[in-house]
Structures are given as structure tokens and as C-alpha cells.
């Protein structure tokens, strides 16, 4: 795949002493618009989507989205008590991973894929600070489909700063350390959204 020399510039946000870069339509600037749409269809149709259950206050709940976990050998993962066995990379995930590694000069070995079926699906406040993750590596996420808000808040509850990004088809977000150490993020419900959205959150896992 041949990449252009210039891509959309990052919009850096400095939040709670952390850098969070948002690059609107990054994917369309490095591959064709058709390719981004083809990836979206392929991910929707071919990832091994599942709806996990979590235990909260003694009750079992279905999580309000579908997800799938892919990674190199040795990157099995667990979050909120849900064990995720790494599936083998699909061709589409491999292409996107290589493109991000090349453009951002980072090494990524795993990805959590999230499918929000419509605006009722969401993700609550959390940080990606699991012990299995390399704390020095950024977390890199790309977005397909419906536009959804991503919100950030400090872990320090006395700090009232907030950051909200509107993430659209093809957008890239890079969360540099120590974002996971000092902030939380979430994808709130947006009831008017009827279209699906896929987010791929690439990480570097300790192996
Ligand atoms: O859907 C998103 O943009 C966020 C996903 C996320 O926070 C995660 O995978 O930990």
C-alpha cells in the first residue's frame, strides 16, 4: 500500500497534563474514502462480535455494545472480570494496524473492537490502565460509521475540567501516557443516533 506524504494534522488537546491528539478523517487522508468504507463493511461482517456479561452488585448484565479482541500470541486479556482470548488478526485489522504503526511510529500488538449498534449502546467511565498494558505506549483508536462523542474527565474528583470530542468516520485519536493514569473516558448514550459505529482501540500489551 502506498501512503501519501501528508496526512491530516493532529489537533492536540492538553488535558490534565496529558496529550490527546484528534485527527479528523485521518484514514481518508492515508487511503481512499472507498477503502475506509470497505473496511467498515468488512469489520461489521467478519469480526467475531460477542455481547459479554458483567457482574455488578451481585447481578449479571449484558454489556451495552458488542466487542471482539484480537492480538498477537500472549495477549489474552480481561476487563471488568471478562476474560478475552485473543483471536488471530484478520487481514483488515492487520492492514489498519500496519498503517497506524507506520504513521505514528509505534508498536501495537492487540486491539479491542467495539460495535455500538446504535446510540443506545455506550461505554461507561473507565481508563485503559490494566496491568497487562505497556504504560509507556499510547493507545490509538480509529472510528468508523456513526459520529459519537467521547468524553474525558480527571480521576481527581476535585478537578472539574472536562474534554469532549466528536468522533466521526475515519477519525483517529491518540491518547499518550499518562492519560490512562490520570483520566477516565466514556462513550455516552446518544439516543438520536440510529446508525452503528465501530471503534478499534489498538494497544501495546506486555507479552
Ligand atoms: O469507543 C470508543 O471510542 C472508546 C473505546 C474505549 O474506551 C475502550 O475500548 O476502552
Amino acid at each position: 500500500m502506498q501512503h501519501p506524504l501528508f496526512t491530516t494534522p493532529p489537533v492536540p488537546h492538553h488535558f490534565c497534563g496529558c496529550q490527546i491528539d484528534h485527527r479528523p478523517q485521518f484514514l481518508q487522508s492515508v487511503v481512499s474514502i472507498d477503502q475506509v468504507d470497505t473496511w467498515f463493511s468488512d469489520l461489521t461482517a467478519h469480526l467475531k462480535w460477542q455481547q459479554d456479561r458483567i457482574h455488578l452488585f451481585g447481578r449479571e448484565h449484558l454489556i451495552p455494545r458488542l466487542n471482539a479482541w484480537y492480538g498477537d500470541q500472549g495477549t489474552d486479556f480481561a476487563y471488568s472480570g471478562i476474560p478475552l482470548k485473543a483471536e488471530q488478526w484478520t487481514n483488515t485489522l492487520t492492514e489498519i494496524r500496519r498503517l497506524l504503526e507506520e504513521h505514528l511510529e509505534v508498536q501495537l500488538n492487540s486491539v479491542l473492537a467495539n460495535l455500538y449498534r446504535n446510540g443506545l449502546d455506550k461505554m461507561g467511565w473507565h481508563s485503559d490502565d490494566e496491568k497487562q498494558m505497556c504504560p509507556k505506549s499510547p493507545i490509538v483508536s480509529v472510528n468508523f460509521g456513526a459520529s459519537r462523542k467521547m468524553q474525558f474527565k480527571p480521576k481527581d474528583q476535585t478537578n472539574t475540567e472536562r474534554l469532549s470530542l466528536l468522533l466521526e468516520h475515519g477519525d483517529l485519536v491518540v491518547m499518550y501516557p499518562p492519560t490512562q493514569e490520570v483520566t477516565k473516558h466514556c462513550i455516552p448514550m446518544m439516543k438520536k443516533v440510529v446508525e452503528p459505529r465501530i471503534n478499534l482501540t489498538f494497544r501495546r500489551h506486555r507479552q
Side-chain angles (χ1 to χ4, degrees), residues 65 112-114 116 123-124 126-128 130 139 141-143 148-150 167 173 175 180 185-187 197-201 203:
R65 63 189 174 277
L112 179 64
N114 296 297
Y116 303 82
M123 190 178 288
H126 69 285
S127 52
D128 303 330
E130 293 84 5
I139 291 192
S141 85
V142 283
N143 300 278
R148 295 288 297 263
K149 275 188 205 145
M150 181 178 196
L167 304 183
V173 175
M175 296 182 268
Q180 307 307 324
H185 54 272
C186 74
I187 304 297
R197 163 182 186 256
I198 288 178
N199 165 265
L200 302 177
T201 305
R203 299 132 193 265

Side-chain angles (χ1 to χ4, degrees), residues 8-140:
T8 52
V11 180
H13 296 273
H14 298 282
F15 181 69
C16 297
C18 307
Q19 184 173 340
I20 300 167
D21 285 356
H22 178 200
R23 288 197 192 193
Q25 299 194 15
F26 169 81
L27 291 179
Q28 291 89 331
S29 74
V30 290
V31 295
S32 67
I33 294 171
D34 286 352
Q35 176 68 83
V36 182
D37 295 345
T38 304
W39 280 341
F40 183 33
S41 309
D42 179 79
L43 295 166
T44 306
H46 296 124
L47 294 196
K48 292 193 178 166
W49 297 111
Q50 58 187 49
Q51 188 172 21
D52 290 313
R53 292 168 188 273
I54 47 166
H55 289 273
L56 270 185
F57 307 112
R59 290 184 59 187
E60 197 176 68
H61 300 266
L62 282 169
I63 62 167
R65 63 189 174 277
L66 307 186
N67 61 24
W69 176 252
Y70 289 78
D72 292 350
Q73 214 178 1
T75 60
D76 290 351
F77 179 54
Y79 79 98
S80 299
I82 304 171
L84 294 172
K85 187 161 169 40
E87 299 286 346
Q88 280 193 6
W89 294 92
T90 65
N91 290 343
T92 295
L93 288 175
T94 300
E95 276 177 44
I96 300 171
R97 169 194 180 175
R98 295 279 172 245
L99 183 146
L100 296 173
E101 287 183 327
E102 188 180 318
H103 280 277
L104 300 170
E105 297 181 352
V106 290
Q107 287 193 317
L108 305 162
N109 59 13
S110 49
V111 60
L112 179 64
N114 296 297
L115 171 57
Y116 303 82
R117 292 159 292 185
N118 54 44
L120 296 178
D121 276 356
K122 59 184 178 168
M123 190 178 288
W125 288 108
H126 69 285
S127 52
D128 303 330
D129 58 356
E130 293 84 5
K131 289 202 177 63
Q132 304 101 313
M133 299 302 152
C134 289
K136 295 210 166 94
S137 178
I139 291 192
V140 177

